[in-house]
Structure formats: structure tokens, C-alpha cells
Amino acid sequence: MAAVIASIEGSAEEVASDATPLTELSTADATRGWEAVGRIDMGRGSFCTGALITPQLVLTAAHCLYNSDTGEQISVEGIQFRAGWRNGRAEAYRGVRRAVAHPDYDYAAPRQISRVAHDLALLELDRPIRSGRISPFETSYDLTTGSEVGIVSYAEHRSEAPSLQEICHVLERFGGVVMVSCSVDFGSSGAPVFQVRDGVARIVSVVSSKAEARGEPVALAGELQPSLDQLREALDHAPDTILNRGSGGRLGGNSNRLSAKFVRP
């Protein structure tokens, strides 16, 4: 991932051991149904993962919009979304017209669990993606501890094709933060966490950080409610080709209840 690694010390009662391994979606058949997940190239040799939720909106992580070396915002002119990127080709290529981070996200804030809850962003593409092969994902707020979820992501050493972890689990939830037993790595930031019901995959959260719980790899993700509505409102008021700064607000209450400690990669 682009900016942070979290180390969680005994914060989960038990890390789920029945998560399925990552499967590379390297063929057209394997990728079918997941083409709306894409690689977001940031124009500086780095990338994140994102997913279409409408023909023109991509959901990803807010920290992807910042240069990890300087902390400066990345110009949208340098960002490209590659839907269904696989083995050197994408189903669609789009530039970005506008990008907004969650209004309460503050990239310069200390690396705390509370920041994960606001680590979401929307990209408005320069043109909608309208293709019979690419269907934007629905979103859902129906998420509980113990829920079975899955993840599709790009990452370091698997940047040329997405990988699917079909089954992992929600281990903990607090203050808009979800800890899941999914395997992520650098580049997985912004990856959609899915829940499949009645054969339909819906996005329920977005990967923020790589983490560890009792020696097992996990991920920290931000919940969509109420963040997604707040992001849509921020986008409605954002001028073209301007990345909003966010207000740097903080969550109330005990923001470190998940016992997380952030360290630099």
C-alpha cells in the first residue's frame, strides 16, 4: 500500500484461519464479473486499486491521492484508471476529471486507527465507462462482525493482474473501522471488500492499511456509511480538476480501541 503499515497487538479474539488463498485472475474467464475493479496509476511509479460504483465514479482510498514522500496532493492530470487491467491491457482506460478525499480525512494526521475510518475517496472519470463487459458494483452497508467477505486487489509483485481472495472474515468493527482477515500488500490500498449475497457482489468497505493481528496478516478498512454519502456531497461541490483538502477532523471517543500502532513501511 502507498503510505502506512499497521501492527495490531492482540486486538482480535481470534484471527480466522479458514480464509482462502489469493487466486490470480490472469485469464478472461477468471476475470469475468470483476472487470470493474481496476488499477489506479498515480503518474509517479505507484498505484492503488479502485472499483467502479457508477459508470463514472471510482471508489478508492484517500491516502492514494497524496505523494507519500512529500505529503503533497497529486494532480488529477497524472492519474489514470485502468479498468480490468490484466497482462498489459485494460478493458477501458480513463483519465480523472475530479478527485475528492473524505472531508474529514487528514493525510498529515498521526497514523491512528481513527484515520482509517475516513480513508476513502471518489474519482470522477473524464468520461463514463459504458461497456457490456464492465458492470459497476453496487454498495452495501450490511456488515457485521463475523461476516464472510472477499477482496479483489492489485499489489506489489502482482501488479499485472488482479487477485481474488474469495473468503475472509470481519474480525472487528469500531468507529467506522473494519478489521478483516484478508491478505493485502503494497498497492492494495483502495481495494474493494465485497460481500456476496444471492450471487451479487456488493462493496461493503475499502482497504486502507496492511496490518497484523497475533502474527497473522489482516487488513484495516473503512466502512461506507456515512462516508460514501459525504463523499458524494463533497464531489458535487468540487470544481473540475481540483482535489479537495479535507478538514482534518477527528473521530470522537476512543479512537484506538482496536489497539493499533502505525509504523512506517
Side-chain angles (χ1 to χ4, degrees):
M1 282 170 289
V4 296
I5 300 176
S7 177
I8 300 176
E9 300 170 350
S11 57
E13 290 294 323
E14 180 179 355
V15 175
S17 59
D18 55 351
T20 55
L22 286 167
T23 300
E24 186 179 69
L25 306 179
S26 57
T27 67
D29 285 343
T31 309
R32 189 168 294 118
W34 303 112
E35 294 92 344
V37 178
R39 202 177 79 179
I40 304 171
D41 289 356
M42 312 310 293
R44 52 186 174 84
S46 64
F47 65 90
C48 282
T49 304
L52 285 167
I53 58 171
T54 76
Q56 200 166 359
L57 292 181
V58 173
L59 184 62
T60 188
H63 74 258
C64 294
L65 303 182
Y66 296 83
N67 185 310
S68 60
D69 294 325
T70 66
E72 296 179 353
Q73 301 164 357
I74 299 169
S75 171
V76 294
E77 288 87 348
I79 302 175
Q80 184 183 61
F81 179 65
R82 302 183 177 195
W85 176 259
R86 175 174 54 84
N87 300 328
R89 297 185 63 183
E91 294 288 342
Y93 300 81
R94 291 292 187 274
V96 174
R97 178 187 173 197
R98 294 186 293 180
V100 292
H102 188 286
D104 291 332
Y105 181 75
D106 184 357
Y107 185 81
R111 288 171 169 79
Q112 298 178 6
I113 290 298
S114 59
R115 195 173 78 163
V116 175
H118 297 139
D119 195 4
L120 295 102
L122 279 178
L123 310 182
E124 182 182 28
L125 304 179
D126 56 1
R127 291 176 292 126
I129 295 178
R130 305 194 187 279
S131 167
R133 295 189 302 273
I134 304 174
S135 298
F137 294 104
E138 298 178 16
T139 56
S140 173
Y141 303 140
D142 187 13
L143 191 63
T144 59
T145 300
S147 294
E148 184 177 290
V149 293
I151 186 171
V152 176
S153 64
Y154 297 83
E156 188 178 31
H157 307 306
R158 48 185 181 88
S159 61
E160 296 305 307
S163 293
L164 167 67
Q165 188 170 23
E166 191 170 7
I167 298 175
C168 44
H169 293 88
V170 176
L171 302 176
E172 278 192 58
R173 297 172 63 223
F174 177 73
V177 180
V178 185
M179 185 169 73
V180 293
S181 62
C182 304
S183 178
V184 298
D185 209 331
F186 296 97
S188 298
S189 291
V193 179
F194 293 101
Q195 190 170 55
V196 179
R197 287 192 174 179
D198 301 322
V200 178
R202 296 178 174 87
I203 302 174
V204 292
S205 59
V206 171
V207 170
S208 172
S209 302
K210 179 179 177 180
E212 185 177 282
R214 297 190 177 182
E216 296 293 334
V218 296
L220 299 180
E223 293 196 32
L224 299 189
Q225 191 179 36
S227 292
L228 188 52
D229 289 340
Q230 293 169 328
L231 279 167
R232 289 181 184 274
E233 183 178 356
L235 187 64
D236 286 343
H237 293 89
D240 284 0
T241 65
I242 297 294
L243 173 65
N244 74 320
R245 295 179 178 273
S247 68
R250 302 289 189 274
L251 289 178
N254 180 5
S255 64
N256 286 319
R257 181 170 166 178
L258 289 182
S259 306
K261 179 178 64 177
F262 287 81
V263 297
R264 292 185 180 277

